[in-house]
Amino acid sequence: MNIPIPYGRQNITEEDIEAVVSTLKSDYLTQGPRIAEFEEAFASYVGSEYAVAVSSGTAALHLCTMALNVKPGDKVITTPITFAASANCVRYCGGEVVFADIDPETYLMDINKVKQLLESSPKGTYKGIIPVDFAGRAVNLEEFRQLAEKFDLWIIEDACHAPGGYFIDSKEQKQLCGNGKFADLAIFSFHPVKHIASGEGGMITTNDKELYEKLLQLRTHGIVKDESKYKNSPEFANGTTVRSSGVETYPGWYMEMQELGYNYRLTDFQAALGNSQLKRANVGLETRRALAEKYQEAFKNKEFVKGQSGVIEGHAYHLYVIEVEDRLGLYNYLRGNKVFAQIHYIPCHLMPYYRDLGWKENDMPEAEKYYRHCISLPMYPTLQVEEQDFVIAKIKEFFDE
């Protein structure tokens, strides 16, 4: 048995290493062919029309808010139970984050709370919604899409926890996270503890060609290198045009920075690693679901468990969460036995930054109640049977079971 046992761990195989080494030996370390290969494979995996690889999930969120023209003062709704980046992306553009409390049964943003916010304000008050597939449980985006259409809102799906996850729609069809049918844009993360690891990295998926092209431009400093899209016509290009075969055109070195973008590119060797990992993503997903089933059975009907992730169709199980009394005691006991469980998350609205913007205790009672009891157990495909048994035994031992 491997000790210590973390809450999450990357799995790097020989095939992954070979893919990276091959790219390191190639002509391109960045802006090369591995990027497009990864984007095409990932779009196929989630069922979207387009995919844009970027340097992190946070970069993906920022580019999405930019592409959707979030401006100072624009109000956007998201959940307090998420990593801070889900909210911060709105602030990067000067927008205002408004939190909506969670459903205590699902840990996801409560659509009824969102409805209350929208219906209690004049139409046009809010610009968009950022639902989060927390822990790997897919948000029912069909319901959110109906709400968005009623109030003229866009949707960014934060699917960082849920590649391969899905929900069942009203026609009893599986709808994969990030497939673009209900959200305008969706984002994913390739941090080492996620399903697909590339060190750092992220992906944006969409079915909107205009947004896709906008993202490509913003990803690379806002620079355009496509003659058909230049804003300077030849006669106003200050002598930069050349005449070839009687046709006036721009030289090969010409480019235009048309707006303020960023360097949010992914490298080719990161893309090679991500693409290699993507090839076995479904195997890892099935392993996570099997681990979840074992946790559920171990803690079913236990008095010390106030709630748990459980076995839910379509759940991608980035995390397996249980809620307990004396969460701090259990956390420290597990650490003392080299089991490094984690807490996901301190509610965003209680972070000092958001407190300074006016948020306070009791603003999100369900999120705050959840936070007082939640603990994320080890969950990764290489977690061995004896390791999971050890984790379960130590939790029961703490509660004298």
Side-chain angles (χ1 to χ4, degrees), residues 177-204:
C177 297
N179 69 7
K181 291 184 180 179
F182 301 104
D184 298 89
L185 296 161
I187 69 102
F188 297 84
S189 168
F190 305 131
H191 183 275
V193 297
K194 299 298 199 304
H195 296 64
I196 298 162
S198 64
E200 293 284 357
M203 191 75 75
I204 307 168

Side-chain angles (χ1 to χ4, degrees), residues 218-269:
L218 291 169
R219 176 178 68 176
T220 310
H221 304 282
I223 288 173
V224 173
K225 294 184 178 181
D226 182 346
E227 187 169 339
S228 67
K229 297 179 180 178
Y230 288 156
K231 293 183 178 180
N232 287 343
S233 60
E235 59 268 31
F236 297 111
N238 298 320
T240 60
T241 57
V242 296
R243 186 169 293 277
S244 177
S245 302
V247 178
E248 196 165 13
T249 186
Y250 292 91
W253 48 261
Y254 186 74
M255 64 178 183
E256 289 184 359
M257 179 184 160
Q258 296 181 346
E259 59 186 311
L260 185 63
Y262 292 81
N263 179 0
Y264 279 163
R265 298 187 299 261
L266 192 69
T267 66
D268 271 56
F269 51 89

Side-chain angles (χ1 to χ4, degrees), residues 42-54:
F42 195 86
S44 177
Y45 181 69
V46 302
S48 67
E49 292 291 327
Y50 308 103
V52 179
V54 295

Side-chain angles (χ1 to χ4, degrees), residues 1-5 9 291 294-295 337-339 378 380-395:
M1 185 172 70
N2 295 313
I3 294 290
I5 302 173
R9 172 179 278 154
L291 292 169
K294 186 169 182 176
Y295 277 137
N337 285 278
K338 306 299 182 184
V339 175
Y380 48 92
T382 56
L383 184 68
Q384 300 300 304
V385 172
E386 61 270 25
E387 293 169 342
Q388 189 179 23
D389 286 343
F390 181 78
V391 172
I392 292 168
K394 289 302 173 185
I395 293 171

Side-chain angles (χ1 to χ4, degrees), residues 119-149:
E119 291 173 352
S120 63
S121 303
K123 192 171 183 178
T125 298
Y126 295 93
K127 302 299 182 182
I129 314 172
I130 305 178
V132 177
D133 299 316
F134 173 68
R137 184 167 186 165
V139 171
N140 187 325
L141 286 178
E142 182 180 32
E143 295 177 352
F144 273 94
R145 182 76 262 165
Q146 293 168 357
L147 195 62
E149 289 177 355

Side-chain angles (χ1 to χ4, degrees), residues 293-364:
E293 187 170 2
K294 186 169 182 176
Y295 277 137
Q296 183 195 42
E297 288 302 310
F299 300 124
K300 186 169 60 176
N301 300 323
K302 297 297 181 183
E303 290 187 7
F304 63 83
V305 176
K306 299 171 63 64
Q308 61 174 319
S309 291
V311 175
I312 298 138
E313 182 174 5
H315 204 303
Y317 294 105
H318 167 55
L319 305 173
Y320 194 92
V321 178
I322 63 172
E323 295 177 81
V324 296
E325 294 290 355
D326 194 9
R327 188 267 309 276
L328 178 60
L330 176 60
Y331 175 84
N332 288 332
Y333 186 75
L334 290 175
R335 288 179 72 86
N337 285 278
K338 306 299 182 184
V339 175
F340 292 94
Q342 188 55 278
I343 308 303
H344 297 93
Y345 292 97
I346 300 171
C348 283
H349 72 287
L350 297 183
M351 292 292 187
Y353 175 82
Y354 286 101
R355 285 177 182 267
D356 288 346
L357 295 175
W359 294 94
K360 60 187 183 303
E361 280 91 349
N362 299 319
D363 280 345
M364 300 284 122

